[in-house]
């Protein structure tokens, strides 16, 4: 196995807005070398151009594949004694990137607070014209803020960015996580209603590098994100979730979703909420994957995909192989079958044996310069619908949604494979018969008792999230306990024998926002549950 390459230098990050708002806003937005008078469209584009959303090296290498991906087993890295131990420096950078521009994230909190301030300074006429931009920005902020709650629990939010908003230097309090989710869900409901009757503008369409000012898509995105958050809380606040979700699913005219038109062979590039790479981008994720997370994961390939003869396998994995002597000459010989290294392998076994096992597909993942950032997809939405119908409605409706989600997941991953620009094999889309057989008669088919059906829903959602949406995979794994993963404990560092249930707060946050940190210090353990965990 290629040994993990640790970069010797880290990005220098500014202090976060959340831990004191010490950074003069002029440095960020009134620098004469940048922008003297910030405007909403420009700030909105900055929010969207976020390397924590886009498919970028640093986020994949230092965060997704090192923490949530390992804790959810959607990525496979060196099985050392600290494999379940959180990296404080890397989690600190993720935290900082949420609150402050600079580094690898766009600082959505600071940018949104700057947008609020600018919006409040506009005339009523200009506010009417630009309200749509601010509303879209709020949806963008909520998506990222919900992930912060999913990772840490209570976070500074309502008071974060005070310097940007009102020139007030104040260390922000921690907002209670359930209350934050409640506000997110309410704000998304308002956004979905607003977008249905709002009017797009040329300035909005130009600034919107995510959805090009398409208000139908913004409506669907807000509703679908709300559906995700409602189902996330459904194990601990079922009454609230059930009422709101069934209202949405029973009225698709007023609550349209990102569902691909409920067509199995839909076009993900048109229907899903994807942050496409900028036209001048030439980067891919090969360094991130080669530095430790290139390998097929045991449970996903060996236990879920192979027994079902899953049609996604060829675009998820390469068989890999070794260079061998053939007729006296060195020749690469491909492994005969797909199989993943056992999760129980030691680091030494991994390093000596990795060539005999499957790796992530080169065209789909490793060298794909057109790989988008994934916000929400039709397959996820239909799996959310399937869970809701199975728990609270008709199992027949659940099967319809589940079967559609499986077909759409196939379409999604073959789409990712098809857009790669390199000299890599573009796999042929599987035949209708192949997909039908998998959906209807394999062990993935929607059969057996209700608990078994829910297990299949949760498992297929975990598979669909995979390596690219590891944070969502970890959240759903913690919420459902599915799939039934095994985590090797032998030789692990004391206190870190198993994965955490949340990330602990970064060291700099605890130091610089120490007074407010005292209110949450009792919750700051690696085994404290996020509020939506049963």
């Amino acid at each position: 196995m290629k040994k993990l390459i640790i970069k010797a230098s880290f990005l220098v990050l500014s202090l976060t807005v959340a831990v004191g708002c010490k950074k003069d806003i002029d440095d960020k937005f009134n620098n004469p070398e940048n922008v003297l008078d910030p405007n909403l469209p420009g700030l909105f584009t900055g929010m969207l151009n976020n390397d924590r959303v886009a498919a970028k090296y640093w986020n994949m290498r230092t965060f997704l594949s090192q923490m949530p991906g390992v804790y959810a087993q959607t990525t496979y890295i060196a099985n050392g004694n600290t494999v379940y131990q959180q990296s404080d420096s890397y989690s600190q950078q993720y935290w900082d990137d949420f609150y402050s521009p600079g580094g690898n994230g766009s600082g959505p909190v600071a940018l949104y607070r700057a947008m609020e301030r600018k919006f409040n300074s506009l005339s009523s006429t200009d506010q009417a014209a630009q309200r749509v931009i601010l509303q879209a920005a709020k949806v963008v902020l909520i998506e990222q803020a919900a992930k912060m709650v999913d990772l840490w629990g209570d976070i500074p939010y309502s008071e974060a960015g005070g310097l940007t908003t009102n020139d007030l230097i104040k260390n922000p309090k921690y907002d209670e996580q359930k209350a934050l989710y409640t506000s997110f869900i309410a704000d998304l409901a308002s956004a979905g209603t607003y977008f249905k009757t709002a009017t797009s503008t040329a300035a909005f369409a130009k600034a919107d590098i995510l959805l090009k000012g398409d208000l139908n898509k913004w409506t669907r995105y807000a509703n679908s994100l709300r559906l995700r958050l409602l189902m996330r809380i459904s194990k601990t606040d079922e009454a609230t979730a059930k009422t709101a979700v069934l209202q949405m699913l029973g009225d698709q005219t007023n609550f349209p979703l990102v569902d691909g038109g409920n067509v199995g062979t839909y076009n993900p590039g048109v229907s899903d909420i994807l942050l496409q790479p900028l036209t001048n981008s030439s980067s891919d994720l090969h360094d991130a994957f080669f530095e430790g997370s290139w390998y097929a994961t045991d449970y996903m390939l060996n236990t879920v995909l192979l027994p079902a003869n899953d049609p996604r396998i060829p675009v998820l994995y390469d068989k890999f192989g070794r260079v061998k002597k053939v007729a006296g000459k060195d020749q690469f010989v491909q492994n005969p079958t797909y199989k993943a290294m056992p999760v129980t392998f030691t680091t030494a076994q991994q390093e000596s044996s990795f060539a005999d096992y499957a790796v992530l597909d080169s065209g789909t993942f490793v060298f794909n310069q057109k790989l988008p950032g994934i916000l929400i997809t039709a397959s996820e939405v239909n799996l959310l619908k399937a869970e809701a119908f199975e728990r609270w409605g008709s199992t027949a409706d659940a099967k319809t949604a589940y079967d559609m989600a499986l077909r759409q997941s196939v379409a999604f991953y073959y789409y990712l494979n098809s857009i790669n620009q390199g000299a890599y094999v573009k796999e042929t889309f599987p035949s209708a018969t192949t997909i039908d057989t998998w959906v209807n008669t394999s062990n993935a088919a929607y059969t057996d008792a209700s608990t078994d059906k829910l297990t299949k829903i949760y498992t297929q959602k975990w598979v669909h999230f995979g390596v690219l949406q590891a944070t969502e995979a970890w959240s759903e794994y913690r919420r459902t306990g599915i799939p039934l993963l095994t985590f090797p404990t032998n030789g692990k560092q004391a206190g870190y024998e198993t994965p955490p249930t949340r990330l602990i707060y970064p060291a700099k946050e605890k130091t610089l926002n120490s007074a407010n940190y005292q209110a949450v210090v009792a919750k700051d353990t690696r085994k404290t549950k996020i509020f939506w965990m049963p």
Side-chain angles (χ1 to χ4, degrees):
M1 175 180 289
K2 195 178 188 74
K3 288 183 179 291
L4 208 60
I5 301 171
I6 304 299
K7 286 189 171 289
S9 62
F10 300 127
L11 296 180
V12 178
L13 298 173
S14 62
L15 297 184
T16 68
V17 176
V19 293
C21 308
K22 308 295 188 184
K23 196 76 173 168
D24 191 333
I25 195 63
D26 286 345
D27 290 344
K28 295 297 184 186
F29 302 111
N30 293 335
N31 187 323
E33 295 180 358
N34 294 317
V35 181
L36 289 173
D37 184 20
N39 61 74
L40 261 67
L43 292 167
F44 181 53
T45 301
M47 281 189 74
L48 294 173
N49 187 26
N50 187 342
D51 284 1
R52 295 297 184 178
V53 175
K56 294 293 185 178
Y57 163 83
W58 194 253
N59 194 43
M60 179 58 69
R61 165 66 181 80
T62 69
F63 192 77
L64 292 180
S65 67
Q66 300 299 307
M67 285 173 272
V70 172
Y71 308 152
Q73 276 189 27
T74 58
T75 56
Y76 194 159
I77 66 170
N79 191 17
N81 65 344
T82 60
V83 66
Y84 307 136
Q85 185 173 358
Q86 173 183 340
S87 168
D88 190 67
S89 62
Y90 291 151
S91 57
Q92 177 76 66
Q93 290 170 16
Y94 188 97
W95 177 277
D96 289 349
D97 284 347
F98 175 65
Y99 290 104
S100 177
N104 293 88
S106 68
V109 168
L111 292 179
Y112 183 76
R113 301 302 183 214
M115 291 180 71
E116 286 185 310
R117 179 170 184 160
K118 180 64 179 179
F119 182 82
N120 291 334
S121 74
L122 299 176
S123 68
S124 58
T125 300
D126 287 341
Q127 283 186 348
Q130 298 198 44
R131 190 177 302 278
V132 66
I133 301 177
L134 190 66
Q135 190 62 261
K138 181 172 248 185
V139 174
V140 173
L141 177 63
I142 288 172
E143 191 274 337
Q144 289 292 290
K147 279 185 168 59
M148 292 289 290
V149 172
D150 296 342
L151 292 165
W152 277 282
D154 299 354
I155 60 167
Y157 185 76
S158 62
E159 294 180 357
L163 178 59
T164 311
T165 304
N166 51 28
D167 298 325
L168 177 65
I169 297 177
K170 178 183 178 182
N171 288 332
K173 68 176 182 179
Y174 284 74
D175 292 293
E176 196 274 327
Q177 53 196 280
K178 184 175 182 180
L180 282 175
Y181 248 65
T182 299
S183 70
F184 297 159
I185 289 167
D187 286 344
L188 290 169
S190 298
T193 300
Y194 170 82
F195 289 132
K196 279 185 65 66
T197 58
T199 301
S200 191
T201 66
F204 178 44
K206 183 178 180 180
D208 182 9
I209 60 174
L210 179 64
L211 300 178
K212 308 298 186 293
D214 187 331
L215 291 180
N216 177 53
K217 285 188 176 181
W218 278 105
T219 303
R220 293 176 182 273
Y221 181 30
N223 290 336
S224 299
L225 184 54
R226 180 172 173 241
L227 177 62
R228 174 195 283 172
L229 300 190
L230 284 166
M231 294 308 296
R232 187 69 47 81
I233 70 171
S234 67
K235 298 285 190 178
T236 56
D237 190 356
E238 185 172 24
T240 297
K242 178 180 178 179
T243 299
V245 168
L246 290 183
Q247 179 191 22
M248 293 176 71
L249 299 186
D251 187 0
Q252 290 289 277
T253 299
N254 285 313
F255 300 100
L257 298 167
V258 179
D259 56 14
N262 293 312
V263 175
T265 54
Y266 82 121
N267 184 344
V270 173
S271 296
D272 290 344
I273 311 302
L274 307 174
L275 181 62
Q276 300 292 349
L278 299 179
T279 55
N280 63 351
S281 174
S282 60
S283 64
D284 58 41
L285 296 178
H286 78 271
D287 282 336
F289 289 131
F290 287 167
E291 290 171 14
S293 55
W294 187 31
Y295 313 99
T297 48
D298 184 355
Y299 194 95
M300 187 174 294
L301 180 54
N302 295 339
T303 302
V304 179
L305 302 181
L306 284 172
N309 197 23
D310 194 303
R312 293 170 293 188
I313 292 174
V315 289
L316 294 178
Y317 302 112
D318 287 335
K319 293 177 181 176
F320 206 42
R322 290 183 180 273
V323 174
K324 299 179 180 179
K325 289 289 185 182
V326 179
K329 295 181 179 180
D330 287 341
Q331 182 175 325
F332 180 79
V333 178
Q334 189 180 59
N335 295 325
T337 59
Y338 293 98
K339 60 180 178 179
M341 285 187 287
V343 71
T344 54
F345 266 18
T346 65
T347 299
Q349 288 174 308
Q350 290 172 320
E351 291 175 354
S352 63
S353 305
F354 75 93
D356 299 321
Y357 295 90
V359 295
L360 291 176
D361 186 78
S362 296
T364 304
F365 300 110
V366 181
F367 293 103
N368 192 347
Q369 295 181 352
K370 296 299 182 181
L371 201 62
I374 304 166
L375 290 160
I376 203 160
T377 67
S379 183
E380 178 191 348
V381 169
N382 271 306
L383 287 166
L384 291 168
K385 289 161 61 175
E387 178 186 355
F389 285 135
E390 184 60 42
R391 290 171 62 186
W392 307 318
S394 160
T395 193
D397 289 340
K399 174 176 166 50
T400 298
Y402 174 85
D403 290 356
M404 182 58 60
L406 264 58
R407 296 175 189 278
Q408 289 176 330
S409 186
V410 173
F412 178 75
Y413 278 103
Y414 275 85
Y415 161 77
L416 294 185
N417 179 263
S418 74
I419 60 177
N420 84 73
Q421 302 295 297
Y424 305 102
V425 174
K426 290 182 172 64
E427 297 290 341
T428 301
F429 195 84
S431 69
T433 299
T434 297
I435 296 175
D436 287 345
T437 300
W438 171 58
V439 171
N440 297 323
T441 65
S442 77
N443 61 13
Y446 204 70
T447 58
D448 302 319
S450 182
T451 54
D452 297 314
K453 292 173 180 176
L454 287 170
T455 294
K456 291 179 181 182
I457 291 169
Y458 301 148
T459 300
Q460 289 300 326
K461 191 190 297 182
W462 173 79
V463 170
H464 181 73
F465 285 143
V467 65
L468 297 178
Q469 290 185 275
T471 301
E472 293 302 321
W474 187 36
S475 293
E476 283 299 282
Y477 172 68
R478 287 176 289 159
R479 179 179 78 92
T480 67
I482 303 296
L484 299 176
L485 302 172
T486 298
F487 291 90
T489 60
N490 291 342
K492 299 299 182 284
Q493 186 171 331
Y496 301 94
E497 294 88 356
T498 57
T501 55
R502 63 177 287 276
L503 299 183
I504 59 172
Y505 293 115
K508 191 169 69 177
E509 166 67 13
K510 291 186 282 190
T511 299
L512 298 180
N513 197 15
S514 58
N516 289 303
Y517 172 69
Q518 297 311 307
V520 297
V521 65
K523 302 179 182 180
D524 193 23
T525 75
R526 65 191 305 271
K527 289 298 184 179
T528 300
K529 290 183 177 181
I530 303 299
F531 82 98
W532 40 249
M533 293 176 63

